[in-house]
Amino acid sequence: MADRPSQDELFAAVDELLAGEPELPPSAERARLREAAGVTQARLAQVLRTSTQTVKNWENGRSEPRPPRREAYLRLLEGWAAKHPAEPATEPVLETFAGPTPQHPAPAEGPADDMAPAPERSPRPHRPAPAASGPSGAPRPASTSRRPARPKAAASASDARFPNGPLAVLDGDGTAYCLGGVLLDCPAATIAQLVEWTLGESGLGQARLHRHGKDSDPLIVLTASAAARFGLPEQLEDRRGLRLAEDHPVIKQLTKAKWKLTQRGFGPWPRIYRPAQGGQRQCVQLAVLPWDALDTRAWGDAATLHPADLARVLGVFASRVLTPRGSMAVTGLELMTALRPPTRPVKDEATGAWVSGPNPGALTHPMDPAPPEAPLEHPVAQGWERGFLDEEAYQWVRDPHLLSDEECLLPWAVGIDINTAFLAAAARLTVGLSGPVHVTTPVFDKKIPGTWLVDLSGIELDARLPSPFTPSGLRPEGPGWYTTATLAYAEELGCAVRPLEAYLRQETGAYLDPWHDRLKDAYLTTTADMSIPVDKDTDPAAFLDAMALHKTYAAADDTRLDTLHAALAELPPGRADLSDENLAAAVRRHRQGAMVLSAIKSTVKGGIGKLRERPQGRHYRDGERWPALERPTWRPDIRAAVIAKARVNMHRKMAKLAALTGRYPLAVLSDCVVYASPGPSPLDFLPLGGEGTPVYGTFRLGANPGFCKLEGVQEMAWAVDLMEQGYNPARHIKGGDAVADEGE
């Protein structure tokens, strides 16, 4: 039995326990003291002979210093505290980018406020972003600013593993600009070092969107000066392959450091990785701006923005949709997989081990289409001579001889455009999840997705409307292959549908629903950011006014505010009384919001088109397989179902409008339809109910997917002249040369 201790011994032991080790300040206070002293995390790491990431972990509460560094760190903090005492606690005021804060809540999967500061401190928060300038070179106010410490409780709004957001735009001086105004120091001198820094110290990445999915790899966007810093050429010499040569010094550096590239090599969107170890991915995505990584058709002139502004545009898109993975088509397809991963862990009953199994409701393995669903190059289409599915978007012009005198005498041709028509068509769309099964003389069932051979040539419809069964709008000439959506609409019109044969899929599901929901949320949130009302019951006139104001701001030059003042004064809700500073901020907000909105729309169109990716390369020969065929998401039948439903939706609205008002379309191009009108506004020809509300089933003005907005206005004589020459007024109604949205 141990000796009984004396009272003095016990008191001494208790006093020692009470004294303990000196307590360090809270993690947020450590960061405040260092910033107040004007010391970077890298400099502090150098003094204490540790890594920058270790210091970062001390300041965000992930880890605590151990002796002997603990005592040295405490001594330093106590010295700083004496020089820089804390100010009285007040409610923090979060500074944001120039321009008003968004008024519409962000989707649940993304941060509650994309303008809010990141949950952890920047390694260099004391350095403000330099003043940005537009393409004209004129200076404009900086887009980022120093931020006060964020309350600890707010850190739960984002994944703590990625405190600095999903991506960074890296400039030539080593400054990495992140979402929320965070600035990071990047000391890397080579691409290999950049990858190491990104994975080890940057705090970049994006949490998975589905519990069985995987986190998004961090994205580093290289400006022209950053690309030059790493030894990349101004342009790719291989303009066909769009990749660096295998003997380029950068490729050799990566190989020496045991980093690998995907099959597409080092091009505008290179992905650099090492094989995963212990389930931990080691992969970084780059985007090289001077190599046209950001397609102007999707991003506008985003590549010309100051890095801080570009980080905001790309970061907002990433937080609401997905971190960009390449073209918007690639990103759109990756989003489908991220929201419905093909596999999930399942328990092997025999061994008790967890193994990979198919995820219900997802596309789990590659499968060949039915012959009539395949493009001509596909192996199953070789030798097939019984016709192919032709479910494409409308390209139709009414026969000029069918124009009435009353229509020709109307002064205006007004084009209206369906918002994200393919996205609206994807909502609640049942598609096949299993392979096609051939059936002869089947009974048509609108609940079964498939491809049916039916003769619809005997159906007589009003020639002033396009046929709902063909993309040309012309009457079918004999038996043809149709999707379930097209034939269901034929039945809705009272037609008898008697299939001769079909390729049907028995396992079904609404595969695109989560994809639709996330993109719809992103679309509406971004629209609301620009003060465009998104409520379904918004007054149509107020919506048109808000759209006109947005277009004026988005097209304005913030260095010519006198011109903008004049343009705003002519709009119904005049804004000519705004100060120049507020006007410039509004221009930036609307211009950048328009870039994000355009990218979202391109994600929809590109993602649908990618479901039927065609072979590429000059050496390809028909009948050969190509890489896209080996992924579960190569599904031309799903693409056809979406486009067919969008076309049917358009026809249903045109037919309802004709029945109510006697007005018929002049022309249709994909999701744009042109009508003769007594006035220059859609309100001059769209019907309204007794209380001034839109009539259900016709075109409805508003911001929601499936609703419509003004596309353009021209004189009626202009439209008639184009029609008589065989041209489509819907292609030019906006003032340019539009392209049909074919989902390619």
Side-chain angles (χ1 to χ4, degrees):
M1 183 176 179
D3 294 337
R4 178 175 292 179
S6 67
Q7 187 178 52
D8 290 341
E9 289 174 331
L10 289 174
F11 280 8
V14 169
D15 289 342
E16 183 180 354
L17 183 62
L18 288 172
E21 290 184 344
E23 185 177 351
L24 289 167
S27 56
E29 176 66 5
R30 302 171 201 175
R32 185 194 72 80
L33 291 171
R34 177 184 54 76
E35 294 168 23
V39 177
T40 66
Q41 288 179 327
R43 173 59 178 157
L44 178 56
Q46 184 181 17
V47 169
L48 296 179
R49 299 186 182 182
T50 186
S51 69
T52 304
Q53 185 62 45
T54 298
V55 172
K56 188 174 184 179
N57 291 342
W58 295 346
E59 292 187 356
N60 61 38
R62 289 190 198 169
S63 65
E64 293 293 324
R66 297 180 179 179
R69 292 186 178 88
R70 180 184 177 89
E71 291 75 16
Y73 188 40
L74 177 60
R75 182 178 181 183
L76 180 61
L77 292 174
E78 289 174 344
W80 282 342
K83 292 182 179 180
H84 310 286
E87 298 179 358
T90 58
E91 185 70 17
V93 178
L94 305 182
E95 298 179 24
T96 66
F97 286 91
T101 303
Q103 301 299 312
H104 191 74
E109 297 87 349
D113 180 4
D114 59 84
M115 301 289 192
E120 297 177 20
R121 303 295 304 179
S122 160
R124 192 171 62 183
H126 68 282
R127 175 180 175 180
S133 60
S136 63
R140 61 174 184 260
S143 294
T144 58
S145 56
R146 179 180 172 181
R147 298 171 177 273
R150 186 171 186 174
K152 188 74 173 179
S156 61
S158 298
D159 193 307
R161 297 171 300 157
F162 311 120
N164 294 322
L167 55 87
V169 179
L170 184 62
D171 213 354
D173 65 353
T175 304
Y177 298 80
C178 306
L179 181 62
V182 173
L183 301 179
L184 307 178
D185 278 317
C186 177
T190 67
I191 292 292
Q193 292 174 359
L194 173 62
V195 174
E196 297 278 4
W197 173 84
T198 303
L199 293 175
E201 299 185 36
S202 70
L204 296 172
Q206 186 178 33
R208 65 195 66 188
L209 299 182
H210 188 283
R211 64 194 181 102
H212 298 318
K214 58 187 179 183
D215 299 331
S216 289
D217 300 319
L219 169 64
I220 301 293
V221 181
L222 301 180
T223 63
S225 59
R229 172 184 177 179
F230 294 121
L232 298 175
E234 293 184 8
Q235 291 185 339
L236 286 171
E237 294 182 5
D238 181 2
R239 301 307 299 170
R240 181 179 294 273
L242 289 178
R243 62 180 64 194
L244 284 180
E246 293 297 322
D247 60 352
H248 192 278
V250 168
I251 305 296
K252 293 181 178 179
Q253 290 170 2
L254 291 171
T255 302
K256 184 177 180 181
K258 295 183 168 42
W259 289 104
K260 299 179 179 294
L261 292 165
T262 59
Q263 290 185 351
R264 50 184 183 177
F266 201 112
W269 288 89
R271 190 172 294 183
I272 305 169
Y273 72 99
R274 284 177 182 153
Q277 296 180 352
Q280 186 69 30
R281 287 174 60 82
Q282 300 182 82
C283 186
V284 174
Q285 179 81 65
L286 303 183
V288 187
L289 292 184
W291 297 353
D292 300 326
L294 297 183
D295 190 335
T296 55
R297 293 171 296 179
W299 293 101
D301 60 354
T304 66
L305 294 174
H306 182 274
D309 292 326
L310 180 57
R312 179 190 180 277
V313 169
L314 295 176
V316 167
F317 176 88
S319 64
R320 295 176 182 174
V321 180
L322 186 72
T323 304
R325 307 284 182 84
S327 70
M328 304 321 296
V330 170
T331 301
L333 201 66
E334 291 275 357
L335 181 63
M336 294 181 195
T337 303
L339 293 167
R340 282 200 191 272
T343 61
R344 64 168 181 166
V346 295
K347 198 167 187 177
D348 188 325
E349 297 299 334
T351 65
W354 289 95
V355 296
S356 179
N359 187 23
L363 302 179
T364 58
H365 60 277
M367 61 181 67
D368 281 340
E373 297 168 347
L376 295 175
E377 307 92 340
H378 198 283
V380 303
Q382 304 309 301
W384 180 262
E385 298 179 351
R386 299 174 55 207
F388 292 89
L389 199 63
D390 188 23
E391 298 281 24
E392 301 294 342
Y394 269 132
Q395 295 192 56
W396 172 84
V397 179
R398 199 202 311 177
D399 185 340
H401 295 96
L402 297 178
L403 291 172
S404 67
D405 293 340
E406 291 79 6
E407 286 177 307
C408 293
L409 292 174
L410 290 173
W412 302 105
V414 178
I416 52 177
D417 174 77
I418 306 298
N419 301 324
T420 57
F422 292 167
L423 184 63
R428 316 298 174 253
L429 176 66
T430 300
V431 300
L433 302 179
S434 55
V437 176
H438 185 247
V439 182
T440 56
T441 62
V443 176
F444 177 69
D445 186 340
K446 65 180 181 181
K447 295 182 180 179
I448 300 178
T451 300
W452 313 73
L453 181 63
V454 183
D455 189 351
L456 300 178
S457 61
I459 300 174
E460 188 74 36
L461 296 174
D462 195 317
R464 292 172 293 180
L465 287 171
S467 168
F469 310 130
T470 65
S472 66
L474 301 178
R475 183 174 175 174
E477 296 181 352
W481 295 95
Y482 302 96
T483 64
T484 300
T486 300
L487 296 183
Y489 185 58
E491 278 196 338
E492 183 181 322
L493 294 176
C495 307
V497 176
R498 298 185 178 88
L500 304 174
E501 58 180 300
Y503 288 88
L504 307 179
R505 290 171 166 82
Q506 300 303 321
E507 184 183 345
T508 66
Y511 172 73
L512 293 173
D513 268 7
W515 185 81
H516 162 271
D517 294 346
R518 185 164 177 85
L519 285 167
K520 178 183 177 181
D521 285 345
Y523 182 84
L524 291 178
T525 302
T526 305
T527 300
D529 282 352
M530 297 174 289
S531 301
I532 299 171
V534 297
D535 191 287
K536 291 184 177 180
D537 296 325
T538 297
D539 176 60
F543 168 73
L544 291 175
D545 289 345
M547 284 297 300
L549 183 62
H550 160 64
K551 289 182 178 180
T552 300
Y553 277 135
D557 181 349
D558 57 3
T559 66
R560 290 294 310 278
L561 296 181
D562 54 337
T563 303
L564 179 57
H565 275 296
L568 293 175
E570 298 184 3
L571 294 178
R575 297 293 189 275
D577 58 333
L578 289 179
S579 68
D580 284 355
E581 181 180 358
N582 288 340
L583 273 181
V587 168
R588 289 194 300 275
R589 179 166 62 95
H590 283 264
R591 181 183 296 162
Q592 293 174 22
M595 294 173 185
V596 177
L597 204 62
S598 174
I600 293 171
K601 292 189 288 187
S602 294
T603 303
V604 174
K605 296 174 184 176
I608 295 299
K610 199 76 170 172
L611 292 168
R612 193 190 66 167
E613 182 178 356
R614 309 294 280 269
Q616 301 176 19
R618 56 181 174 175
H619 300 298
Y620 176 80
R621 296 293 180 268
D622 286 355
E624 297 176 350
R625 298 189 70 84
W626 59 94
L629 304 185
E630 309 311 318
R631 64 171 187 247
T633 49
W634 193 85
R635 291 293 301 274
D637 57 299
I638 296 180
R639 171 189 176 274
V642 172
I643 297 177
K645 186 179 174 183
R647 194 184 67 243
V648 161
N649 288 345
M650 173 77 84
H651 189 277
R652 184 181 289 110
K653 290 173 177 146
M654 291 187 292
K656 183 68 175 286
L657 183 64
L660 289 174
T661 67
R663 298 187 187 279
Y664 292 85
L666 303 178
V668 186
L669 181 73
S670 188
D671 50 11
C672 175
V673 56
V674 179
Y675 279 93
S677 173
S681 168
L683 294 174
D684 293 316
F685 67 89
L686 292 181
L688 295 175
E691 299 179 357
T693 57
V695 177
Y696 179 79
T698 62
F699 297 102
R700 184 171 178 180
L701 292 167
N704 276 261
F707 285 33
C708 66
K709 61 182 181 295
L710 176 64
E711 178 74 357
V713 183
Q714 301 286 347
E715 293 183 354
M716 183 61 183
W718 167 90
V720 173
D721 184 55
L722 285 182
M723 295 169 69
E724 289 177 342
Q725 296 182 60
Y727 298 120
N728 191 327
R731 187 181 299 276
H732 309 281
I733 192 73
K734 198 173 181 177
D737 190 4
V739 178
D741 295 329
E742 298 180 352
E744 295 289 1

